[in-house]
Amino acid sequence: MTEMLLSPTTLHANPERVVILPFTISISPRDSAMGAQSRVSRICDAITALTAEQVKTELETVNRDFTGRHWQTRGIFLERFRQIQALNGGMENLDEDHKALIGAYFCHEYSYSAAAVMNPSVVVHPDQTGAGEGINFVMSTRTVGEGHISTVSFREGTFFPDGTMDLKPETDFAVAAKPQGNNTPLDGAVTVHGHQACPISETVLFPVTRSQTNGLEDLRMLTFHDENGSSTIMGTYTAYNGRETACECFETSDFRSFRLTPLRGAASAHKGLGFFPRKLNGRWAAIGRLDHESIFYLESDDKYTWNYGDKLLGPEAPWELIQMGNCGSPIELDEGWLVLTHGVGAVRRYSLGAALLDKDDPRKVLARSKEPLLSPSEDNREGYVPNVIYTCGALRVGDWIFMPYGVADSSIHFASIKIRDLLAHLGYEAAIAHKDAAE
């Protein structure tokens, strides 16, 4: 197997990472032994009837247990009160302590990474402060918590010229990004906002629309460079509602606000669309699957609409015989477009490979992995889903390819490989020599 520089740094599921989310109770009245009254109204009436001293005592208990675990808990409780008030009506003349306590009763803690952490992607950080000779990066991770709900969270770090990396320490708090206002759309595009005072690594993206009910999975981030010289962070992820999956678009300029937009067209029903980092021949370009087992090249005039394309790669070698797919967006090299791939072999064993596409015409495959680039082994196969090595994107930094990757849907590891060694793995130089000899 090709020589890689493997970092000792590893990320694991962490049940201590918690956020405060709305605790939803039906607003509709229901007949019970207490009469026809909604539980929400009953709870609000009971708290409203408490004296100021009783409310103070209850809030002291809440603050003691939760203030040290969350960012601005009182503000969260007051915002939640306003939501309940908008639904239930009344409660106009309450003091702030009563409002905060009512809000607290309609919140709950959620451990968003208690079950698993996996499938990272990585981009250059918009802020290079303190990077020195290295490059600051932002890494997305798929985190899984109670009820197998997938979320998107982030970590920050620095990649160094010698191929090593370092993650910034994890912060004490995490905050769920949310839409502004009370009229969140149930379907279609939505913009969610993280807290402006929070570091990127404290922001977590939760399901918002009905298509996302059971999770946001496997974000494939990249930096897209527009023809006018501007750039933005974008990518795709899989929205899952418990029955169906759909491909949606992620866009941000600052990791503070995030635009989430459903894609349209035949390709949107498949997982794993990966955008090219710039337009090709004036059109948007992407790679993805259309048949559940092969990689296709697609073009579109609209970044939100993707239909059919040309087949690039299908299963050939035993390690990818069941199916293959991309592992993130293509990476531009001098020699062509580098595409990281995954292949599934016997006993549903996921391995990583690569392919090199022609720079002028990505429909042409110049080289591909004959053997896996990275595979499960005795020391990296056990976990929530065993025998899986997977990534959602790597980053070119100088002569290196920096690749965080998931192991067994349970942890994240980090590898780096020289571009020349990766091309040698693909047999690219040998393929060129053979072509020249034939000509």
Side-chain angles (χ1 to χ4, degrees), residues 226-386:
D226 209 338
E227 296 161 309
N228 61 13
S230 64
S231 61
T232 188
I233 306 298
M234 60 184 302
T236 67
Y237 60 91
T238 299
Y240 179 52
N241 65 8
R243 300 175 307 278
E244 301 171 328
T245 60
C247 197
E248 299 191 348
C249 183
F250 162 99
E251 297 170 276
T252 184
S253 60
D254 54 7
F255 287 96
R256 304 296 180 190
S257 298
F258 308 87
R259 184 70 171 172
L260 309 177
T261 307
L263 298 184
R264 301 179 292 269
S268 67
H270 296 266
K271 295 183 178 182
L273 194 73
F275 295 133
F276 278 73
R278 59 179 175 85
K279 288 185 177 180
L280 302 181
N281 301 315
R283 305 186 78 198
W284 292 85
I287 52 173
R289 279 202 306 231
L290 294 173
D291 62 358
H292 301 287
E293 65 177 28
S294 305
I295 298 176
F296 288 74
Y297 173 77
L298 304 92
E299 288 187 356
S300 177
D301 294 319
D302 174 14
K303 65 181 174 182
Y304 301 125
T305 303
W306 297 90
N307 282 298
Y308 302 102
D310 301 304
K311 185 175 178 178
L312 292 176
L313 299 161
E316 289 184 2
W319 60 274
E320 60 187 11
L321 203 55
I322 291 179
Q323 68 186 46
M324 63 182 306
N326 74 71
C327 279
S329 292
I331 299 170
E332 188 167 9
L333 307 180
D334 294 339
E335 295 78 5
W337 295 103
L338 175 66
V339 177
L340 295 177
T341 66
H342 68 268
V344 185
V347 200
R348 206 188 65 157
R349 186 173 186 258
Y350 277 70
S351 301
L352 298 184
L356 188 69
L357 310 181
D358 187 84
K359 203 165 188 176
D360 295 325
D361 183 4
R363 296 173 180 83
K364 298 178 181 178
V365 179
L366 303 180
R368 64 183 292 176
S369 295
K370 303 301 182 185
E371 299 292 336
L373 186 64
L374 191 63
S375 294
S377 61
E378 288 303 319
D379 59 351
N380 69 356
R381 64 184 297 178
E382 308 294 352
Y384 189 55
V385 181

Side-chain angles (χ1 to χ4, degrees), residues 7 20 25 90 118 145 177 196 295 297 324 356 370 397 408 434:
S7 170
I20 293 180
I25 299 174
M118 57 182 134
Q196 296 302 304
I295 298 176
Y297 173 77
M324 63 182 306
L356 188 69
K370 303 301 182 185
V397 184
H434 179 75

